[in-house]
């Protein structure tokens, strides 16, 4: 590639910059970043990029454009790049919800231009370009969306591109994507935010500084609940239907648990706990987590 | 101390053995362990202990007895040690729920014998003596229970004992204890088990192997849900009232979140997410977790 243009250079955008640069996948990396603070950081990090002030300069003659902004920015940005994009340019994004964004793309992107969606399953609770790393995508899944209108040439290109930055590829349609991640990612994040909120509410109620004793469970949830609020608001809003269904399943199961606890139903409780416990070994076996007690944390 | 007797030598019992031995806090450590598998492990680990086959041999002339078994074992064991205990012996336990166990102790322990409850806030998702470590309690909170009938001499001894194995001490009554840990530990564990169960239910429903894509949230919960099922059944049953109240707060808040998502209430959502996010910095500041993104996990 001669030129790649990354729109939004936070945690994941800057990780892409580093990964692309390390693997020498492009001659030039251009970035567009709205936040002045991030631009200052990028400059002081000396990332190997050309920072553009107008989207036009970034889009012109790009081989690949990657949207790394919150999804709520897509519409505004699409309307701005429409005048400059070429049908030859491959456009993708890294958004965590696909049905909603594909509708926005379909509605606002200029006719004749293709946009092929990606979703690398990578990230962290910390935000900003200073936390990016060149191996962010290594051995992580990257979902590529294939729907009826997908440009197969672009899909093949992206398949190869993500493999080069280290990802393992899985291809699925946007419906399946949004269903799966509503339960493996979106609901867990909502639950984590909700648990931390509930703990704070309880703290107020009993007037006791309980966060201090959070070592036993709450602290793990607090990590997930520390994630970027704009990004997660967008995810919750954009995948609201699937998440609502997931909440319903979750609440139904929680009621069952509460009933077992109230009635001291031993057999039913042990069976539930044992089954849930087994999933951990499955996750370790699938190399979705490291096989060290307590995540290998030293304290 | 001349003699300490540890009843139950799994993860925490064996950690106590190692900690006591390292700090040379006792001349002899005796242990009683029901599981043949654990005894084989303890022998091959060459832990510096005398394994007793009868509780009588362990109890006789002990300065300190520490119960490190699941709480559902207390009644059975108390009835067995009653004939041998001396009023001089300090007895404690490491159980995670205090009101229920204090009732059992009061009901079944021989009159004239004191039992002073401890709760070191330490543990892991893995079980068994092979995972124990001598620094398990270092810099961790240890709650000591002080109720109306607490033997203050024994309390002072335990305060000093837990400090010597590295803990920070906090003293409270059993009501406050069970309230606090219902929200910082018991509810989070229940939620983790429930989330993993819900993911498995969803997997069956959509007939798709979604655990494979659990990197994005579910994997953190799966760690907590991998904890020992006997221990957690006991906790859920023994602290059922506080946990039920915590579940109600949690479900109410989750309904609020669901409503915000459905109605796309931007301001309310951002406010909730931002507030929850702040708790993480509080937890880091209080040294309840390490200050590394993603727990310092390398994958």
């Amino acid at each position: 590639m001669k030129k790649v243009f990354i729109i939004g250079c936070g945690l994941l955008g800057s990780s892409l910059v580093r990964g692309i640069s390390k693997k020498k996948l492009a001659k030039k990396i251009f970035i567009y970043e709205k936040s002045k603070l991030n631009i200052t950081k990028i400059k002081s990090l000396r990332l190997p990029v050309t920072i553009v002030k107008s989207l036009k300069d970034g889009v012109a003659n790009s081989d690949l454009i990657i949207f790394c902004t919150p999804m709520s920015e897509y519409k505004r940005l699409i309307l701005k790049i429409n005048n400059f994009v070429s049908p030859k340019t491959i456009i993708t994004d890294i958004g965590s919800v696909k049905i909603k964004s594909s509708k926005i793309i379909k509605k606002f992107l200029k006719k004749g231009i293709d946009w092929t969606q990606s979703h690398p399953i990578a990230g962290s609770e910390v935000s900003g370009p200073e936390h990016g790393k060149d191996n962010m995508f290594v051995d992580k899944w990257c979902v590529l969306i294939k729907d009826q209108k997908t440009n197969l040439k672009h899909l093949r290109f992206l398949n190869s591109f993500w493999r080069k930055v280290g990802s393992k590829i899985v291809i699925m349609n946007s419906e399946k994507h949004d269903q799966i991640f509503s339960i493996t990612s979106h609901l867990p994040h909502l639950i984590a935010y909700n648990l931390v909120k509930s703990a704070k509410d309880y703290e107020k109620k009993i007037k006791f500084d309980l966060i201090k004793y959070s070592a036993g469970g709450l602290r793990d949830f607090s990590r997930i609940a520390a994630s970027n609020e704009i990004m997660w608001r967008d995810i919750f809003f954009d995948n609201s239907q699937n998440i609502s269904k997931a909440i319903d399943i979750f609440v139904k199961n929680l009621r069952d648990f509460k009933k077992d606890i109230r009635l001291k139903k031993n057999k039913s409780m042990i069976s539930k706990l044992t089954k849930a416990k087994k999933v951990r070994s499955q996750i370790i076996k699938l190399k979705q987590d490291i096989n060290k007690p307590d995540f290998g944390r030293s304290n």
Side-chain angles (χ1 to χ4, degrees), chain A residues 34 47 52 62 67 72 80 109 129-130 140 146 159 171 198 203 208 218 227-228 238 240 260-261 271 284:
Chain A
K34 200 171 76 168
L47 290 183
V52 297
S62 271
F67 277 68
S72 51
K80 284 194 177 178
L109 187 69
E130 70 274 32
K140 303 284 163 61
K146 189 180 170 217
N159 190 323
I171 297 175
S198 302
E203 192 175 60
F208 194 93
L218 187 60
S227 303
N228 185 286
D238 282 3
S240 61
D260 281 4
I261 290 174
S271 154
I284 299 288

Side-chain angles (χ1 to χ4, degrees), chain A residues 252-266:
Chain A
K252 184 196 153 292
N253 282 333
L254 193 56
R255 284 219 186 89
D256 276 358
F257 257 122
K258 193 181 164 187
K259 201 175 162 191
D260 281 4
I261 290 174
R262 193 168 50 87
L263 303 174
K264 305 224 181 331
K265 285 183 153 188
N266 183 47

Side-chain angles (χ1 to χ4, degrees), chain A residues 12 51 66-67 92 111 178 191 193 217 225 234 269 276 291-292 299:
Chain A
L12 291 183
I51 302 169
I66 311 173
F67 277 68
T92 193
K111 301 295 159 220
D178 286 3
I191 291 303
Y193 281 113
D234 289 356
M269 177 61 92
N291 188 15
K292 282 187 183 174
N299 83 330

Side-chain angles (χ1 to χ4, degrees), chain A residues 36-284:
Chain A
K36 281 181 187 164
L37 177 63
N38 277 357
I39 287 180
T40 310
K41 286 177 185 172
I42 291 158
K43 283 179 181 166
S44 84
L45 287 163
R46 298 179 180 277
L47 290 183
V49 294
T50 305
I51 302 169
V52 297
K53 282 185 182 165
S54 100
L55 286 162
K56 184 181 174 184
D57 297 338
V59 171
N61 303 315
S62 271
D63 302 289
L64 173 63
I65 299 174
I66 311 173
F67 277 68
C68 299
T69 70
M71 295 182 293
S72 51
E73 297 284 309
Y74 288 9
K75 178 183 162 186
R76 188 179 66 80
L77 291 163
I78 288 171
L79 293 173
K80 284 194 177 178
I81 66 165
N82 267 341
N83 292 329
F84 321 116
V85 283
S86 137
K88 281 185 195 166
T89 304
I90 293 161
I91 310 177
T92 193
D93 64 291
I94 58 159
S96 302
V97 180
K98 294 310 187 189
I99 298 176
K100 178 75 189 292
S101 52
S102 72
K103 279 181 189 161
I104 287 175
I105 292 161
K106 203 179 159 193
K107 190 167 174 189
F108 297 104
L109 187 69
K110 199 168 72 173
K111 301 295 159 220
I113 305 293
D114 290 309
W115 178 311
T116 313
Q117 296 191 294
S118 311
H119 179 201
I121 314 304
S124 178
E125 78 276 19
V126 288
S127 313
E130 70 274 32
H131 295 294
K133 43 186 192 174
D134 60 24
N135 66 347
M136 179 67 84
F137 308 101
V138 173
D139 292 333
K140 303 284 163 61
W141 287 104
C142 180
V143 183
L144 294 177
I145 301 299
K146 189 180 170 217
D147 287 322
Q148 281 184 334
K149 295 198 170 176
T150 299
N151 180 322
L152 296 181
K153 200 178 142 193
H154 290 192
L155 188 74
R156 276 194 297 274
F157 178 92
L158 287 170
N159 190 323
S160 157
F161 169 77
W162 284 108
R163 283 184 194 277
K164 283 175 190 162
V165 293
S167 303
K168 303 176 288 182
I169 303 295
V170 55
I171 297 175
M172 59 180 78
N173 65 33
S174 48
E175 283 75 19
K176 193 62 120 186
H177 172 278
D178 286 3
Q179 258 189 341
I180 291 171
F181 292 97
S182 75
I183 198 89
T184 62
S185 173
H186 309 167
L187 180 66
H189 276 79
L190 188 67
I191 291 303
Y193 281 113
N194 194 61
L195 187 87
V196 173
K197 180 176 168 28
S198 302
K200 286 300 279 182
D201 288 358
Y202 199 76
E203 192 175 60
K204 259 185 218 162
K205 201 176 150 188
I206 69 167
K207 290 174 188 141
F208 194 93
D209 178 20
L210 55 82
I211 298 298
K212 208 167 163 178
Y213 308 106
S214 61
L218 187 60
R219 66 170 180 172
D220 281 15
F221 287 74
S222 77
R223 183 192 83 79
I224 302 180
S227 303
N228 185 286
E229 64 277 16
I230 304 296
M231 183 183 141
W232 281 98
R233 175 210 52 196
D234 289 356
I235 292 172
F236 296 146
F237 284 177
D238 282 3
N239 201 18
S240 61
Q241 286 195 342
N242 283 309
I243 293 173
S244 289
K245 277 182 208 161
I247 291 174
D248 293 342
I249 295 174
F250 183 90
V251 171
K252 184 196 153 292
N253 282 333
L254 193 56
R255 284 219 186 89
D256 276 358
F257 257 122
K258 193 181 164 187
K259 201 175 162 191
D260 281 4
I261 290 174
R262 193 168 50 87
L263 303 174
K264 305 224 181 331
K265 285 183 153 188
N266 183 47
K267 212 172 148 183
S268 166
M269 177 61 92
I270 291 287
S271 154
K272 282 190 182 80
L273 301 184
T274 312
K275 276 181 194 158
K277 184 177 174 171
K278 279 185 190 154
V279 175
R280 181 69 182 169
S281 10
Q282 216 181 327
I283 285 173
I284 299 288

